[in-house]
Amino acid sequence: MTAAADIIRAKARTPVRMGLVLGSGLGAMADELEGATRFEFGDLPGFPVSGVSGHAGALTLGRLEGIEVAMLSGRKHYYEGGDAAAMRPVLECFKALGAELAFLTNAAGSTRKEIPPGALMAIRDHINFSGRDPLIGVEGDDRFVSMVNAYDDTLRLRLKWWAEEAELELFEGVYAWFSGPSFETPAEIAAIRKLGADAVGMSTAPECIIARHIGLPVVAVSVITNYAAGMTGAALSHDETKSEAAKAEDRFRALIRAFVGSYANG
Ligand code: HPA
């Protein structure tokens, strides 16, 4: 149990079936929830207030495609204060509210010509290129979390079926976590591509590690907002991340709905 979950349970319909984290420029999907109850981060003990534009800082509970979900608009990033575990209270709250899985989403840069801006990519695995770990300082043998199948194969397979049924193109690949907030250099992108990354970003990997630590299965999707540094010669910007995420938003929402709706029907 968490204090935040107690506050939420007193006001909103629970349990929820899943907790979703909406990435940069994607948070508005929470407005689609029916019978919604919205909580500002400041009202939920432990929730990390984020100062990043494009991140609203609210948790909304409500019905989507017939099931109760919790949607987080406005995650906290490692680069905001150097705390890789900043999202732990959120994930623990999802679990305390009854979530059966965490659906993590982000905006990311593509390292592959064949995965263009606007593409949706299911994350198969990650490379923690930041060298940080949200479990540093955690005690007990369960800190040695296995990261095999961290992005649950079965859930991802279902996501792919349901995307296909909804006629949504869905790539699959490896996400590399860079700490940010500076974007990567072209040399870093050339290196990480050789190491096997298909997309790069500044979030999600620590959340996945925390989710695995507390036993929440993870399914994750990147919305590709740009080609990574050095691939086109263009400078990168957070404005571009937000505007390109907005352009992909309809398909992103359709993918989430396809997953949630089919999950609800078993
Ligand atoms: N790099 C890191 N994070 C990102 C990018 C990128 O190219 N695009 C969106 N988020």
Side-chain angles (χ1 to χ4, degrees), residues 131-233:
R132 306 291 160 184
D133 195 301
L135 303 185
I136 289 174
V138 170
E139 293 183 356
D141 281 358
D142 68 352
R143 75 183 115 180
F144 302 111
V145 173
S146 170
M147 293 299 289
V148 175
N149 199 29
Y151 297 84
D152 190 276
D153 283 341
T154 306
L155 289 175
R156 193 173 62 263
L157 190 64
R158 290 188 187 173
L159 175 70
K160 284 162 76 178
W161 289 341
W162 297 333
E164 204 175 307
E165 229 163 78
E167 295 183 0
L168 292 162
E169 187 173 24
L170 182 63
F171 293 86
E172 181 178 309
V174 172
Y175 174 90
W177 176 34
F178 283 79
S179 78
S182 64
F183 284 106
E184 303 73 30
T185 64
E188 286 163 349
I189 293 302
I192 203 73
R193 183 189 302 112
K194 285 202 179 111
L195 293 178
D198 304 296
V200 293
M202 305 177 191
S203 67
T204 305
E207 295 158 19
C208 176
I209 294 169
I210 294 164
R212 296 311 301 131
H213 184 235
I214 62 176
L216 265 183
V218 171
V219 61
V221 168
S222 291
V223 174
I224 302 298
T225 55
N226 56 284
Y227 281 122
M231 291 176 69
T232 67

Side-chain angles (χ1 to χ4, degrees), residues 17 67 158 161-162 259-266:
R17 299 280 307 275
I67 62 169
R158 290 188 187 173
W161 289 341
W162 297 333
F259 181 85
V260 174
S262 304
Y263 185 84
N265 296 324

Side-chain angles (χ1 to χ4, degrees), residues 108-111 115-118 183 223-229 236 240-241 244:
S110 165
T111 69
I115 309 182
F183 284 106
V223 174
I224 302 298
T225 55
N226 56 284
Y227 281 122
L236 273 55
E240 178 186 48
T241 301
E244 290 299 315

Side-chain angles (χ1 to χ4, degrees), residues 1-6 8-9 14-16 89-99 214 216:
M1 292 308 128
T2 70
D6 287 341
I8 292 165
R9 234 182 263 111
T14 57
V16 300
V90 173
L91 292 153
E92 285 180 344
C93 180
F94 282 170
K95 178 126 200 237
L97 292 173
I214 62 176
L216 265 183

